[in-house]
Amino acid sequence: MKRLKQLSKRLGWSAALIAVCSYAIFWSPQWLFLIVIEAFIVLGLLEYFNLSRQKGFPLNPYLGLAFGVLFPLPFYFLNELFILMLATLTLFVFYFRPKLKEHAFVNTALSIFGLVYVAWFFSFLAKMRVLEQGALWIFYVILIVKGGDAGAYFIGQKFGRHKLIVHISPNKSLEGSIAGLIVTILLSLASKLYLTEVPISHLLLLGIILGIVGQLGDLSESLLKRDAGI
C-alpha cells in the first residue's frame, strides 16, 4: 500500500511536469522557456544548499542563487568563465569577514561546485533550445533519460534481486540498471521517428552513452544525499 501511494504521487507529479515541460519545450517563446529553466535551477540550487546545510556547511544561498541564474544567459550577453571567475572572487570577498574565515576554504569550494553541478550543467538546455531542431533534441534527452529511469524503477521493483551499489543507493538493483539501459537504447532508436535526419547508428551510440551517463548522474546525486543523511 505504501509503494502504491508513492507511485501514485510520482505519477501525479510526473503528469503535471510533463504538461508544463511540453508546453515550455515546444510552444513557449524563448523568454518563457528561459524562465522555466531558471525556475528549475533555483529549485535545484535550493536543494543543494539544503544538502550542504544538513552536512554542516551553511553556504550563502543568496550569492549562489544570484550567480546561478546567470548561467543560462551567456548566449545573450555573458560568458560562463566570466561568471565563474566573478562568483569565485565575490565568495572570497564575502569570507573576508573575521567570523567566517575558518570556513572559507570548504564553503567557497562547495559553492563553486554547486554552481557548476546544478546551474551550469542545467543551463545547457537553454543553449540547446536555440539550435536547429533544438526543441526536439531537448525532448529526446528528457524522454530517454526519464524513460530509462522509469524502466529501471519498474523492472527493479518487480525482478530486482541483486543490489547494485548498496552503500550509495540501497534500492537500486543490477536487474533494474540493465533494464534502464535497454529501455534508454530502445527509446533512442525509436526517436528516429521524429529525428528523421539522424543516422540510426548515431541514435544507437547516443542511447548507450546517455543510458550509462544518466545512471551515473542518478547515482552521483544519491551519493550526495547519502553523505548528507537525506
Side-chain angles (χ1 to χ4, degrees):
M1 183 62 68
K2 183 178 179 181
R3 285 185 176 179
L4 184 60
K5 288 182 178 179
Q6 289 178 340
L7 178 59
S8 300
K9 185 177 179 181
R10 283 191 178 194
L11 291 176
W13 275 108
S14 296
L17 281 173
I18 288 171
V20 172
C21 291
S22 295
Y23 172 76
I25 292 170
F26 291 109
W27 298 290
S28 69
Q30 182 64 27
W31 64 266
L32 184 56
F33 180 77
L34 195 60
I35 290 176
V36 173
I37 294 297
E38 296 284 19
F40 276 112
I41 286 176
V42 168
L43 290 172
L45 283 173
L46 288 175
E47 182 177 355
Y48 175 79
F49 293 136
N50 182 53
L51 287 175
S52 300
R53 188 162 49 250
Q54 292 289 332
K55 188 64 178 173
F57 301 107
L59 307 183
N60 188 315
Y62 304 107
L63 285 177
L65 291 174
F67 286 105
V69 296
L70 296 179
F71 277 93
L73 305 180
F75 59 88
Y76 287 115
F77 58 85
L78 288 174
N79 179 277
E80 291 136 328
L81 293 179
F82 176 75
I83 297 171
L84 279 175
M85 179 190 71
L86 187 61
T88 304
L89 293 175
T90 303
L91 286 166
F92 273 130
V93 171
F94 175 76
Y95 287 110
F96 281 177
R97 298 158 64 185
K99 64 179 181 179
L100 298 178
K101 66 180 179 63
E102 294 182 1
H103 306 285
F105 196 122
V106 174
N107 285 5
T108 300
L110 286 174
S111 297
I112 296 299
F113 172 71
L115 289 176
V116 172
Y117 176 59
V118 179
W120 186 39
F121 284 7
F122 205 85
S123 71
F124 279 90
L125 288 179
K127 301 176 180 67
M128 289 172 64
R129 182 53 148 51
V130 299
L131 298 174
E132 184 179 356
Q133 293 189 313
L136 288 177
W137 279 111
I138 292 173
F139 173 77
Y140 165 83
V141 170
I142 295 175
L143 172 67
I144 68 170
V145 171
K146 298 309 293 181
D149 188 38
Y153 175 78
F154 287 111
I155 298 300
Q157 288 287 326
K158 184 71 174 177
F159 301 104
R161 298 292 181 272
H162 302 86
K163 296 300 182 181
L164 186 61
I165 307 180
V166 179
H167 63 280
I168 293 179
S169 188
N171 293 325
K172 286 185 172 59
S173 65
L174 180 61
E175 292 83 356
S177 178
I178 294 173
L181 178 60
I182 292 173
V183 170
T184 301
I185 294 172
L186 292 177
L187 286 173
S188 182
L189 293 174
S191 299
K192 179 68 174 178
L193 294 172
Y194 56 89
L195 294 172
T196 55
E197 297 180 0
V198 181
I200 198 73
S201 59
H202 291 192
L203 292 174
L204 174 61
L205 183 60
L206 281 172
I208 295 172
I209 293 173
L210 292 178
I212 295 172
V213 172
Q215 293 195 41
L216 289 176
D218 194 28
L219 287 169
S220 299
E221 184 178 352
S222 295
L223 175 63
L224 297 180
K225 291 164 72 175
R226 293 294 172 272
D227 186 31
I230 295 179

